[in-house]
Amino acid sequence: MDKNLLLLNYSKYFPESSLGIIKSKIDNFDDSKISMMYMQNYKDPTISILLSVLVGSLGADRFFIGDTALGVVKLLTCGGLGIWSLIDLFLIMDATKQKNLSKFLITFDCR
């Protein structure tokens, strides 16, 4: 399996600033870790922005990325009276990528 292809396939799930670190970790992967990488369920930032646009005031975007507490607060406040929903339109994609990076670092013991 070409490790550069693996990085290319998964680069949209992580912040651009972390791709160097991820590439160095992937270069050291054996076949079992490559298989494990394919089995990880990373959240798609495109889906998170769509959820934010369509049902962001209900907290669906925050529930999607795993921020359950923030999702509940956003739901109960109707998206912070719309202000929080508007702000999340700009922040949710980066928040999704950061969550994916945290999951990658925890899963592959890279901290």
Side-chain angles (χ1 to χ4, degrees):
M1 174 45 103
D2 185 15
K3 294 177 182 179
N4 288 327
L5 183 61
L6 180 68
L7 181 64
L8 182 64
N9 286 336
Y10 284 91
S11 62
K12 75 174 187 174
Y13 296 109
F14 302 107
E16 285 185 36
S17 60
S18 68
L19 292 180
I21 296 167
I22 293 171
K23 181 178 177 1
S24 67
K25 297 300 177 185
I26 288 175
D27 286 341
N28 295 324
F29 279 4
D30 58 5
D31 287 340
S32 67
K33 284 193 176 180
I34 290 174
S35 297
M36 197 167 144
M37 179 83 174
Y38 279 117
M39 288 187 278
Q40 293 298 310
N41 186 18
Y42 295 112
K43 303 295 182 183
D44 191 341
T46 307
I47 300 297
S48 66
I49 190 70
L50 286 173
L51 286 172
S52 189
V53 168
L54 298 174
V55 286
S57 61
L58 301 176
D61 50 352
R62 290 295 175 169
F63 286 118
F64 176 71
I65 66 171
D67 286 341
T68 307
L70 290 177
V72 169
V73 172
K74 197 172 175 184
L75 174 66
L76 294 176
T77 62
C78 295
L81 300 176
I83 297 169
W84 188 0
S85 295
L86 183 62
I87 292 170
D88 258 355
L89 287 174
F90 299 99
L91 300 179
I92 197 67
M93 286 185 74
D94 188 50
T96 305
K97 290 179 180 184
Q98 289 296 330
K99 288 279 188 178
N100 288 336
L101 178 61
S102 295
K103 184 176 182 175
F104 175 85
L105 294 176
I106 290 169
T107 302
F108 296 105
D109 197 34
C110 300
R111 289 198 178 203

